Amino acid sequence: MFVPEDTQTQHFIVHTCRCGSVEPRILQVGLGLVPETEVKIMDDKRRRARVQGGWAGPVKSRAASRATPEASLARNNVTVGTGQAWMRREQLLLEKPYIFKESTKMERKAPETRVIDKQGLYEISTSPTGASRINLIPGFIDSKEADWMFEQLLQEIPWGQRTHIRQDLSFEEPRLTSWYGELPYTYSRLTMNPNPHWHPLLTSLKKHIEEVTSHTFNSLLCNLYRNEKDSVDWHSDDELSLGRNPVIASLSFGATRVFEMRKKPTPEESGDYTYVERIRIPLDHGTLLMMEGATQEDWQHRVPKEYHAREARINLTFRTIYTGHEGF
């Protein structure tokens, strides 16, 4: 490019960034001496240097960023088409009437637990096996008499703790027991040996119960629940040696514990106890509970552990043991 002699030329040192290096470059900027394209290149490089360094891409020109009319029209058509389709679906949903249909499937709920704490004879169920009855007699033994009886039984009964073995695992019963009767008694695959030497107080209590209830008994299983941690799990007194529809007389001394009952499920329930009937009976000091009829056939009972502290409780369960098939 030709430069007149009288033209003053200005020299600038411009630093441009390219790939992390800085290169000095001398440009002559005068009266139209530098081409316009060179000036644009310099402006572009300055912009790139200001934005994060040399990695920034070249600035797009306004012409390149403008979309063609055909492309804009196509995008508008797509938007309009999608909007119209959405409006049609919305309109159909608004026009469609909402009809509430109540579920025909009945929600099954477990029955509420029944509490029995008043004296009386209760028929708790009937079935093909017969009627199940319980007779609750609070205060069967006077409170003062029950106090000294409890202390005497606690001290003079030969209490012992039995060990169970199941699937090669052994565990001790969470209570103490003692057996009286001329015949052995087997439950939970353990046998209690005959013990004909009845304690005089136990003999007296047996006769008193027989006179009031008109039932006779020849055996007695004594249970000592030492505290709230002692218990007996769900079971039925339905051993063959007890005969059909056995009568059990349960006499309680000491701390009050809750006696729970649950009805055995039908064959259709496949052993599921979720929806069966349940009963809770608080057994106080000196209370007699009679279980009669099909109670052992159709119901289970237990004395569960408790969360609050409990003193000792003695439970005497009088029953009749048969030899062979006498009770059937």
Side-chain angles (χ1 to χ4, degrees):
M1 180 180 295
F2 175 74
V3 181
E5 295 178 358
D6 57 349
T7 303
Q8 297 181 355
T9 305
Q10 299 177 359
H11 298 273
F12 295 87
I13 299 178
V14 180
H15 296 272
T16 61
C17 180
R18 182 181 301 168
C19 300
S21 63
V22 179
E23 295 183 359
R25 183 176 180 184
I26 301 177
L27 296 178
Q28 295 179 348
V29 181
L31 301 176
L33 301 181
V34 181
E36 184 179 356
T37 55
E38 188 71 16
V39 175
K40 290 181 179 180
I41 293 174
M42 292 299 298
D43 290 340
D44 181 48
K45 290 181 178 180
R46 290 191 191 96
R47 293 190 189 97
R48 293 171 57 193
R50 283 195 297 267
V51 183
Q52 301 292 333
W55 57 267
V59 180
K60 295 181 179 180
S61 64
R62 293 182 179 179
S65 62
R66 292 194 189 97
T68 61
E70 293 80 1
S72 298
L73 181 60
R75 284 198 301 271
N76 291 337
N77 290 338
V78 172
T79 303
V80 171
T82 304
Q84 291 176 349
W86 178 83
M87 291 178 65
R88 285 196 298 270
R89 287 197 299 269
E90 189 73 14
Q91 186 175 5
L92 290 175
L93 290 175
L94 291 174
E95 292 176 354
K96 184 178 180 180
Y98 177 76
I99 301 175
F100 175 76
K101 293 183 178 180
E102 187 174 358
S103 176
T104 57
K105 185 178 180 180
M106 298 296 293
E107 182 181 359
R108 190 178 183 187
K109 296 182 180 180
E112 292 187 6
T113 300
R114 181 183 180 185
V115 178
I116 297 177
D117 55 1
K118 299 292 190 298
Q119 180 172 343
L121 178 63
Y122 300 85
E123 187 175 283
I124 55 177
S125 69
T126 56
S127 69
T129 56
S132 299
R133 297 181 302 273
I134 59 174
N135 189 5
L136 182 64
I137 309 176
F140 181 76
I141 303 294
D142 179 73
S143 180
K144 291 184 178 180
E145 284 188 310
D147 288 342
W148 72 262
M149 288 181 179
F150 171 76
E151 293 298 332
Q152 189 172 359
L153 295 174
L154 184 64
Q155 299 297 327
E156 299 181 9
I157 296 296
W159 301 105
Q161 190 168 25
R162 307 202 318 163
T163 300
H164 291 259
I165 299 177
R166 292 181 183 175
Q167 298 179 352
D168 298 331
L169 295 176
S170 62
F171 62 94
E172 294 181 335
E173 281 185 336
R175 63 190 179 280
L176 305 183
T177 59
S178 185
W179 174 253
Y180 290 89
E182 295 183 357
L183 297 173
Y185 179 51
T186 300
Y187 72 97
S188 298
R189 293 181 292 183
L190 289 179
T191 300
M192 305 190 80
N193 295 323
N195 178 19
H197 308 291
W198 286 68
H199 189 285
L201 178 55
L202 297 177
T203 302
S204 175
L205 289 171
K206 182 174 82 70
K207 290 181 179 179
H208 182 39
I209 294 174
E210 290 176 337
E211 290 174 358
V212 173
T213 65
S214 300
H215 293 288
T216 58
F217 307 97
N218 64 7
S219 303
L220 169 63
L221 176 62
C222 306
N223 296 281
L224 171 59
Y225 300 87
R226 295 162 292 182
N227 50 45
E228 69 280 358
K229 297 180 181 179
D230 279 358
S231 64
V232 61
D233 205 0
W234 290 113
H235 70 284
S236 297
D237 296 326
D238 55 358
E239 290 79 19
L240 293 177
S241 60
L242 295 175
R244 183 176 181 272
N245 291 344
V247 176
I248 307 294
S250 174
L251 182 60
S252 297
F253 295 97
T256 299
R257 293 293 293 266
V258 175
F259 184 79
E260 295 184 353
M261 304 181 69
R262 66 179 183 181
K263 199 170 188 303
K264 295 179 182 179
T266 61
E268 292 76 16
E269 300 289 345
S270 300
D272 184 5
Y273 284 84
T274 304
Y275 303 104
V276 300
E277 299 174 59
R278 295 175 183 268
I279 298 175
R280 289 169 57 90
I281 308 172
L283 296 179
D284 300 325
H285 189 42
T287 297
L288 177 66
L289 175 67
M290 301 290 297
M291 293 183 284
E292 307 171 3
T295 303
Q296 305 303 324
E297 182 73 20
D298 294 340
W299 292 76
Q300 288 185 331
H301 55 269
R302 71 168 181 174
V303 176
K305 292 179 172 60
E306 298 198 13
Y307 295 103
H308 303 287
R310 292 288 184 269
E311 298 295 329
R313 170 186 182 251
I314 292 176
N315 174 237
L316 308 178
T317 55
F318 296 89
R319 59 197 67 202
T320 299
I321 300 294
Y322 297 95
T323 59
H325 298 282
E326 288 182 289
F328 291 89

Short mmCIF file of all heavy atoms in Angstrom, two decimals, residues 16-70:
data_model
loop_
_atom_site.label_atom_id
_atom_site.label_comp_id
_atom_site.label_asym_id
_atom_site.label_seq_id
_atom_site.Cartn_x
_atom_site.Cartn_y
_atom_site.Cartn_z
N THR A 16 -2.38 -9.16 21.02
CA THR A 16 -3.47 -10.11 20.75
C THR A 16 -3.14 -11.43 21.40
O THR A 16 -1.98 -11.80 21.52
CB THR A 16 -3.66 -10.31 19.23
OG1 THR A 16 -2.47 -10.82 18.70
CG2 THR A 16 -3.99 -8.99 18.53
N CYS A 17 -4.21 -12.12 21.78
CA CYS A 17 -4.06 -13.42 22.46
C CYS A 17 -4.39 -14.52 21.49
O CYS A 17 -5.46 -14.51 20.89
CB CYS A 17 -5.00 -13.49 23.67
SG CYS A 17 -4.88 -15.03 24.56
N ARG A 18 -3.48 -15.43 21.33
CA ARG A 18 -3.71 -16.56 20.44
C ARG A 18 -3.11 -17.79 21.10
O ARG A 18 -1.92 -17.89 21.25
CB ARG A 18 -3.05 -16.31 19.10
CG ARG A 18 -3.29 -17.45 18.08
CD ARG A 18 -2.59 -17.16 16.79
NE ARG A 18 -3.08 -15.91 16.23
CZ ARG A 18 -2.49 -15.28 15.20
NH1 ARG A 18 -1.40 -15.77 14.67
NH2 ARG A 18 -2.98 -14.14 14.73
N CYS A 19 -4.00 -18.71 21.48
CA CYS A 19 -3.60 -20.00 22.08
C CYS A 19 -2.76 -19.78 23.34
O CYS A 19 -1.76 -20.44 23.56
CB CYS A 19 -2.84 -20.88 21.10
SG CYS A 19 -3.83 -21.29 19.65
N GLY A 20 -3.13 -18.78 24.12
CA GLY A 20 -2.46 -18.60 25.40
C GLY A 20 -1.20 -17.76 25.31
O GLY A 20 -0.57 -17.49 26.31
N SER A 21 -0.71 -17.38 24.13
CA SER A 21 0.51 -16.56 24.00
C SER A 21 0.14 -15.16 23.57
O SER A 21 -0.91 -14.91 22.99
CB SER A 21 1.45 -17.19 22.99
OG SER A 21 0.85 -17.21 21.72
N VAL A 22 0.96 -14.26 23.92
CA VAL A 22 0.73 -12.85 23.57
C VAL A 22 1.77 -12.43 22.55
O VAL A 22 2.98 -12.59 22.75
CB VAL A 22 0.83 -11.95 24.82
CG1 VAL A 22 0.62 -10.50 24.46
CG2 VAL A 22 -0.19 -12.39 25.86
N GLU A 23 1.31 -11.94 21.41
CA GLU A 23 2.22 -11.52 20.33
C GLU A 23 2.08 -10.02 20.09
O GLU A 23 0.97 -9.53 19.86
CB GLU A 23 1.87 -12.26 19.03
CG GLU A 23 2.12 -13.77 19.13
CD GLU A 23 1.84 -14.43 17.80
OE1 GLU A 23 1.47 -13.70 16.86
OE2 GLU A 23 2.00 -15.65 17.73
N PRO A 24 3.13 -9.30 20.19
CA PRO A 24 3.06 -7.86 19.85
C PRO A 24 3.01 -7.70 18.34
O PRO A 24 3.68 -8.41 17.60
CB PRO A 24 4.34 -7.29 20.45
CG PRO A 24 5.29 -8.44 20.49
CD PRO A 24 4.47 -9.67 20.65
N ARG A 25 2.18 -6.79 17.90
CA ARG A 25 2.08 -6.54 16.45
C ARG A 25 1.94 -5.04 16.22
O ARG A 25 1.10 -4.39 16.84
CB ARG A 25 0.87 -7.27 15.89
CG ARG A 25 0.76 -7.10 14.37
CD ARG A 25 -0.40 -7.93 13.88
NE ARG A 25 -0.53 -7.80 12.42
CZ ARG A 25 -1.50 -8.35 11.71
NH1 ARG A 25 -2.40 -9.08 12.32
NH2 ARG A 25 -1.56 -8.18 10.41
N ILE A 26 2.73 -4.47 15.33
CA ILE A 26 2.71 -3.03 15.04
C ILE A 26 1.86 -2.81 13.82
O ILE A 26 2.07 -3.39 12.77
CB ILE A 26 4.13 -2.48 14.80
CG1 ILE A 26 5.00 -2.74 16.05
CG2 ILE A 26 4.07 -1.02 14.45
CD1 ILE A 26 6.42 -2.31 15.88
N LEU A 27 0.83 -1.97 14.03
CA LEU A 27 -0.06 -1.62 12.92
C LEU A 27 0.06 -0.14 12.63
O LEU A 27 0.27 0.69 13.52
CB LEU A 27 -1.53 -1.94 13.28
CG LEU A 27 -1.84 -3.42 13.52
CD1 LEU A 27 -3.31 -3.52 13.90
CD2 LEU A 27 -1.55 -4.23 12.27
N GLN A 28 -0.03 0.21 11.41
CA GLN A 28 -0.03 1.60 10.99
C GLN A 28 -1.47 2.00 10.71
O GLN A 28 -2.09 1.49 9.81
CB GLN A 28 0.81 1.81 9.74
CG GLN A 28 2.30 1.52 9.97
CD GLN A 28 3.10 1.72 8.68
OE1 GLN A 28 2.51 1.86 7.60
NE2 GLN A 28 4.42 1.77 8.81
N VAL A 29 -1.97 2.90 11.58
CA VAL A 29 -3.33 3.37 11.42
C VAL A 29 -3.27 4.86 11.09
O VAL A 29 -2.84 5.66 11.92
CB VAL A 29 -4.15 3.13 12.71
CG1 VAL A 29 -5.59 3.60 12.51
CG2 VAL A 29 -4.09 1.67 13.09
N GLY A 30 -3.66 5.21 9.95
CA GLY A 30 -3.61 6.61 9.54
C GLY A 30 -4.85 6.98 8.81
O GLY A 30 -5.94 6.56 9.17
N LEU A 31 -4.68 7.69 7.82
CA LEU A 31 -5.82 8.13 7.02
C LEU A 31 -6.11 7.11 5.96
O LEU A 31 -5.60 7.20 4.84
CB LEU A 31 -5.53 9.51 6.40
CG LEU A 31 -5.24 10.62 7.44
CD1 LEU A 31 -4.86 11.92 6.71
CD2 LEU A 31 -6.43 10.83 8.31
N GLY A 32 -6.87 6.08 6.39
CA GLY A 32 -7.26 5.06 5.42
C GLY A 32 -6.16 4.17 4.98
O GLY A 32 -6.22 3.59 3.91
N LEU A 33 -5.06 4.05 5.84
CA LEU A 33 -3.93 3.24 5.43
C LEU A 33 -4.14 1.77 5.76
O LEU A 33 -3.50 0.91 5.16
CB LEU A 33 -2.66 3.74 6.11
CG LEU A 33 -2.29 5.22 5.81
CD1 LEU A 33 -1.00 5.58 6.52
CD2 LEU A 33 -2.17 5.42 4.29
N VAL A 34 -5.03 1.45 6.81
CA VAL A 34 -5.25 0.06 7.19
C VAL A 34 -6.59 -0.39 6.61
O VAL A 34 -7.60 0.30 6.78
CB VAL A 34 -5.31 -0.10 8.73
CG1 VAL A 34 -5.53 -1.55 9.11
CG2 VAL A 34 -4.02 0.43 9.36
N PRO A 35 -6.60 -1.51 5.96
CA PRO A 35 -7.86 -1.97 5.35
C PRO A 35 -8.93 -2.19 6.42
O PRO A 35 -8.63 -2.50 7.58
CB PRO A 35 -7.47 -3.28 4.67
CG PRO A 35 -6.00 -3.23 4.54
CD PRO A 35 -5.48 -2.41 5.66
N GLU A 36 -10.20 -2.07 6.01
CA GLU A 36 -11.32 -2.23 6.94
C GLU A 36 -11.41 -3.65 7.49
O GLU A 36 -11.75 -3.87 8.64
CB GLU A 36 -12.62 -1.88 6.21
CG GLU A 36 -13.84 -1.94 7.14
CD GLU A 36 -15.09 -1.55 6.39
OE1 GLU A 36 -15.00 -1.18 5.21
OE2 GLU A 36 -16.17 -1.65 7.02
N THR A 37 -11.10 -4.64 6.66
CA THR A 37 -11.15 -6.04 7.13
C THR A 37 -10.16 -6.27 8.25
O THR A 37 -10.43 -7.04 9.18
CB THR A 37 -10.84 -6.99 5.96
OG1 THR A 37 -9.59 -6.63 5.39
CG2 THR A 37 -11.92 -6.90 4.90
N GLU A 38 -8.99 -5.64 8.20
CA GLU A 38 -8.00 -5.81 9.26
C GLU A 38 -8.50 -5.24 10.58
O GLU A 38 -8.30 -5.82 11.65
CB GLU A 38 -6.70 -5.10 8.85
CG GLU A 38 -5.53 -5.37 9.80
CD GLU A 38 -5.03 -6.79 9.68
OE1 GLU A 38 -5.37 -7.47 8.68
OE2 GLU A 38 -4.31 -7.23 10.58
N VAL A 39 -9.21 -4.08 10.50
CA VAL A 39 -9.76 -3.48 11.71
C VAL A 39 -10.81 -4.42 12.35
O VAL A 39 -10.87 -4.61 13.55
CB VAL A 39 -10.38 -2.11 11.39
CG1 VAL A 39 -11.06 -1.54 12.66
CG2 VAL A 39 -9.30 -1.17 10.93
N LYS A 40 -11.67 -5.04 11.52
CA LYS A 40 -12.68 -5.97 12.05
C LYS A 40 -12.04 -7.16 12.73
O LYS A 40 -12.52 -7.64 13.74
CB LYS A 40 -13.60 -6.43 10.92
CG LYS A 40 -14.52 -5.32 10.41
CD LYS A 40 -15.42 -5.86 9.33
CE LYS A 40 -16.37 -4.77 8.82
NZ LYS A 40 -17.26 -5.27 7.74
N ILE A 41 -10.96 -7.67 12.14
CA ILE A 41 -10.24 -8.80 12.75
C ILE A 41 -9.72 -8.40 14.11
O ILE A 41 -9.81 -9.17 15.09
CB ILE A 41 -9.12 -9.29 11.84
CG1 ILE A 41 -9.71 -9.91 10.57
CG2 ILE A 41 -8.23 -10.28 12.56
CD1 ILE A 41 -8.68 -10.29 9.55
N MET A 42 -9.18 -7.19 14.21
CA MET A 42 -8.67 -6.74 15.49
C MET A 42 -9.78 -6.61 16.53
O MET A 42 -9.64 -7.00 17.70
CB MET A 42 -7.95 -5.39 15.31
CG MET A 42 -6.66 -5.50 14.50
SD MET A 42 -5.44 -6.59 15.26
CE MET A 42 -5.19 -5.73 16.78
N ASP A 43 -10.93 -6.05 16.12
CA ASP A 43 -12.05 -5.92 17.05
C ASP A 43 -12.52 -7.29 17.56
O ASP A 43 -12.84 -7.47 18.73
CB ASP A 43 -13.22 -5.21 16.36
CG ASP A 43 -12.91 -3.75 16.10
OD1 ASP A 43 -12.00 -3.22 16.78
OD2 ASP A 43 -13.57 -3.15 15.23
N ASP A 44 -12.56 -8.25 16.62
CA ASP A 44 -12.99 -9.60 17.00
C ASP A 44 -12.03 -10.21 18.02
O ASP A 44 -12.44 -10.83 18.99
CB ASP A 44 -13.08 -10.47 15.76
CG ASP A 44 -13.53 -11.88 16.09
OD1 ASP A 44 -14.53 -12.01 16.85
OD2 ASP A 44 -12.90 -12.83 15.62
N LYS A 45 -10.74 -10.01 17.82
CA LYS A 45 -9.76 -10.56 18.75
C LYS A 45 -9.85 -9.90 20.11
O LYS A 45 -9.66 -10.55 21.14
CB LYS A 45 -8.36 -10.39 18.17
CG LYS A 45 -8.10 -11.29 16.97
CD LYS A 45 -6.69 -11.11 16.44
CE LYS A 45 -6.43 -12.07 15.27
NZ LYS A 45 -5.07 -11.93 14.73
N ARG A 46 -10.12 -8.59 20.14
CA ARG A 46 -10.28 -7.92 21.43
C ARG A 46 -11.47 -8.50 22.20
O ARG A 46 -11.43 -8.71 23.41
CB ARG A 46 -10.47 -6.42 21.21
CG ARG A 46 -9.22 -5.70 20.71
CD ARG A 46 -9.42 -4.21 20.78
NE ARG A 46 -8.36 -3.51 20.06
CZ ARG A 46 -8.46 -3.08 18.80
NH1 ARG A 46 -9.58 -3.27 18.14
NH2 ARG A 46 -7.46 -2.48 18.21
N ARG A 47 -12.57 -8.72 21.49
CA ARG A 47 -13.74 -9.28 22.16
C ARG A 47 -13.44 -10.67 22.73
O ARG A 47 -13.84 -11.02 23.84
CB ARG A 47 -14.92 -9.37 21.18
CG ARG A 47 -15.44 -8.00 20.73
CD ARG A 47 -16.74 -8.17 19.98
NE ARG A 47 -17.17 -6.94 19.35
CZ ARG A 47 -16.94 -6.63 18.07
NH1 ARG A 47 -16.30 -7.50 17.30
NH2 ARG A 47 -17.36 -5.49 17.56
N ARG A 48 -12.76 -11.46 21.91
CA ARG A 48 -12.42 -12.80 22.39
C ARG A 48 -11.50 -12.77 23.60
O ARG A 48 -11.62 -13.60 24.51
CB ARG A 48 -11.77 -13.60 21.26
CG ARG A 48 -12.73 -13.91 20.12
CD ARG A 48 -11.99 -14.51 18.94
NE ARG A 48 -11.26 -15.72 19.33
CZ ARG A 48 -10.33 -16.30 18.57
NH1 ARG A 48 -10.02 -15.79 17.40
NH2 ARG A 48 -9.73 -17.39 18.98
N ALA A 49 -10.60 -11.84 23.64
CA ALA A 49 -9.68 -11.74 24.78
C ALA A 49 -10.40 -11.32 26.04
O ALA A 49 -10.04 -11.71 27.15
CB ALA A 49 -8.57 -10.74 24.45
N ARG A 50 -11.46 -10.52 25.90
CA ARG A 50 -12.21 -10.08 27.08
C ARG A 50 -13.09 -11.19 27.65
O ARG A 50 -13.49 -11.16 28.80
CB ARG A 50 -13.08 -8.86 26.72
CG ARG A 50 -12.26 -7.57 26.63
CD ARG A 50 -13.19 -6.38 26.64
NE ARG A 50 -14.08 -6.35 25.49
CZ ARG A 50 -13.83 -5.71 24.35
NH1 ARG A 50 -12.69 -5.06 24.19
NH2 ARG A 50 -14.70 -5.74 23.36
N VAL A 51 -13.50 -12.15 26.83
CA VAL A 51 -14.39 -13.24 27.27
C VAL A 51 -13.58 -14.47 27.60
O VAL A 51 -13.30 -15.23 26.78
CB VAL A 51 -15.44 -13.57 26.18
CG1 VAL A 51 -16.39 -14.63 26.70
CG2 VAL A 51 -16.17 -12.33 25.74
N GLN A 52 -13.13 -14.72 28.72
CA GLN A 52 -12.51 -15.98 29.15
C GLN A 52 -11.23 -16.34 28.41
O GLN A 52 -10.81 -17.47 28.48
CB GLN A 52 -13.52 -17.15 28.99
CG GLN A 52 -14.79 -17.01 29.78
CD GLN A 52 -14.56 -17.09 31.26
OE1 GLN A 52 -13.61 -17.71 31.69
NE2 GLN A 52 -15.41 -16.44 32.03
N GLY A 53 -10.65 -15.49 27.67
CA GLY A 53 -9.39 -15.84 27.03
C GLY A 53 -9.56 -16.35 25.61
O GLY A 53 -10.60 -16.22 24.99
N GLY A 54 -8.54 -17.00 25.11
CA GLY A 54 -8.48 -17.37 23.70
C GLY A 54 -9.35 -18.54 23.30
O GLY A 54 -9.43 -18.86 22.13
N TRP A 55 -10.03 -19.23 24.29
CA TRP A 55 -10.85 -20.40 23.89
C TRP A 55 -12.16 -19.96 23.30
O TRP A 55 -12.86 -20.76 22.68
CB TRP A 55 -11.13 -21.28 25.12
CG TRP A 55 -11.80 -20.57 26.25
CD1 TRP A 55 -11.20 -19.98 27.31
CD2 TRP A 55 -13.19 -20.32 26.40
NE1 TRP A 55 -12.10 -19.39 28.14
CE2 TRP A 55 -13.35 -19.58 27.60
CE3 TRP A 55 -14.33 -20.64 25.65
CZ2 TRP A 55 -14.58 -19.15 28.05
CZ3 TRP A 55 -15.54 -20.23 26.12
CH2 TRP A 55 -15.67 -19.48 27.29
N ALA A 56 -12.60 -18.71 23.54
CA ALA A 56 -13.91 -18.27 23.04
C ALA A 56 -13.96 -18.30 21.53
O ALA A 56 -13.00 -17.94 20.86
CB ALA A 56 -14.22 -16.87 23.55
N GLY A 57 -15.05 -18.77 21.00
CA GLY A 57 -15.21 -18.85 19.55
C GLY A 57 -15.42 -17.49 18.92
O GLY A 57 -15.64 -16.48 19.61
N PRO A 58 -15.33 -17.41 17.66
CA PRO A 58 -15.52 -16.13 16.96
C PRO A 58 -16.94 -15.62 17.14
O PRO A 58 -17.89 -16.40 17.23
CB PRO A 58 -15.24 -16.47 15.51
CG PRO A 58 -15.51 -17.92 15.40
CD PRO A 58 -15.08 -18.50 16.72
N VAL A 59 -17.06 -14.31 17.24
CA VAL A 59 -18.37 -13.69 17.40
C VAL A 59 -19.15 -13.80 16.11
O VAL A 59 -18.64 -13.49 15.03
CB VAL A 59 -18.20 -12.20 17.79
CG1 VAL A 59 -19.57 -11.53 17.95
CG2 VAL A 59 -17.40 -12.09 19.07
N LYS A 60 -20.39 -14.30 16.27
CA LYS A 60 -21.20 -14.45 15.08
C LYS A 60 -21.71 -13.10 14.61
O LYS A 60 -22.07 -12.24 15.41
CB LYS A 60 -22.39 -15.36 15.36
CG LYS A 60 -21.99 -16.79 15.69
CD LYS A 60 -23.22 -17.64 15.92
CE LYS A 60 -22.82 -19.07 16.24
NZ LYS A 60 -24.01 -19.90 16.46
N SER A 61 -21.74 -12.98 13.36
CA SER A 61 -22.26 -11.73 12.79
C SER A 61 -23.77 -11.70 12.88
O SER A 61 -24.42 -12.72 13.02
CB SER A 61 -21.82 -11.61 11.33
OG SER A 61 -22.40 -12.65 10.57
N ARG A 62 -24.35 -10.47 12.86
CA ARG A 62 -25.78 -10.32 12.95
C ARG A 62 -26.48 -11.00 11.77
O ARG A 62 -27.55 -11.57 11.90
CB ARG A 62 -26.16 -8.84 12.99
CG ARG A 62 -25.69 -8.16 14.26
CD ARG A 62 -26.13 -6.71 14.25
NE ARG A 62 -25.71 -6.06 15.49
CZ ARG A 62 -25.94 -4.76 15.75
NH1 ARG A 62 -26.59 -4.01 14.85
NH2 ARG A 62 -25.54 -4.25 16.89
N ALA A 63 -25.83 -10.94 10.63
CA ALA A 63 -26.44 -11.55 9.44
C ALA A 63 -26.56 -13.06 9.60
O ALA A 63 -27.54 -13.67 9.20
CB ALA A 63 -25.62 -11.20 8.19
N ALA A 64 -25.50 -13.65 10.19
CA ALA A 64 -25.53 -15.11 10.33
C ALA A 64 -26.54 -15.55 11.39
O ALA A 64 -27.07 -16.65 11.34
CB ALA A 64 -24.14 -15.63 10.69
N SER A 65 -26.76 -14.67 12.45
CA SER A 65 -27.67 -15.05 13.51
C SER A 65 -29.13 -14.90 13.14
O SER A 65 -30.00 -15.44 13.80
CB SER A 65 -27.38 -14.22 14.76
OG SER A 65 -27.60 -12.85 14.48
N ARG A 66 -29.39 -14.11 12.10
CA ARG A 66 -30.77 -13.93 11.70
C ARG A 66 -31.27 -15.18 10.98
O ARG A 66 -30.62 -15.70 10.09
CB ARG A 66 -30.89 -12.72 10.76
CG ARG A 66 -30.62 -11.38 11.43
CD ARG A 66 -31.09 -10.26 10.53
NE ARG A 66 -30.66 -8.96 11.04
CZ ARG A 66 -29.59 -8.30 10.63
NH1 ARG A 66 -28.85 -8.83 9.69
NH2 ARG A 66 -29.30 -7.13 11.14
N ALA A 67 -32.44 -15.68 11.32
CA ALA A 67 -33.01 -16.86 10.67
C ALA A 67 -33.74 -16.42 9.42
O ALA A 67 -34.24 -15.31 9.32
CB ALA A 67 -33.97 -17.56 11.62
N THR A 68 -33.82 -17.35 8.50
CA THR A 68 -34.53 -17.06 7.25
C THR A 68 -36.02 -17.01 7.51
O THR A 68 -36.51 -17.63 8.45
CB THR A 68 -34.23 -18.16 6.22
OG1 THR A 68 -34.69 -19.40 6.74
CG2 THR A 68 -32.74 -18.25 5.96
N PRO A 69 -36.78 -16.26 6.73
CA PRO A 69 -38.24 -16.20 6.93
C PRO A 69 -38.90 -17.56 6.84
O PRO A 69 -39.84 -17.85 7.57
CB PRO A 69 -38.69 -15.26 5.80
CG PRO A 69 -37.48 -14.45 5.47
CD PRO A 69 -36.31 -15.34 5.67
N GLU A 70 -38.38 -18.42 5.95
CA GLU A 70 -39.00 -19.74 5.81
C GLU A 70 -38.86 -20.56 7.09
O GLU A 70 -39.79 -21.24 7.54
CB GLU A 70 -38.38 -20.50 4.63
CG GLU A 70 -38.67 -19.89 3.27
CD GLU A 70 -37.78 -18.69 2.96
OE1 GLU A 70 -36.92 -18.38 3.81
OE2 GLU A 70 -38.00 -18.08 1.89
#
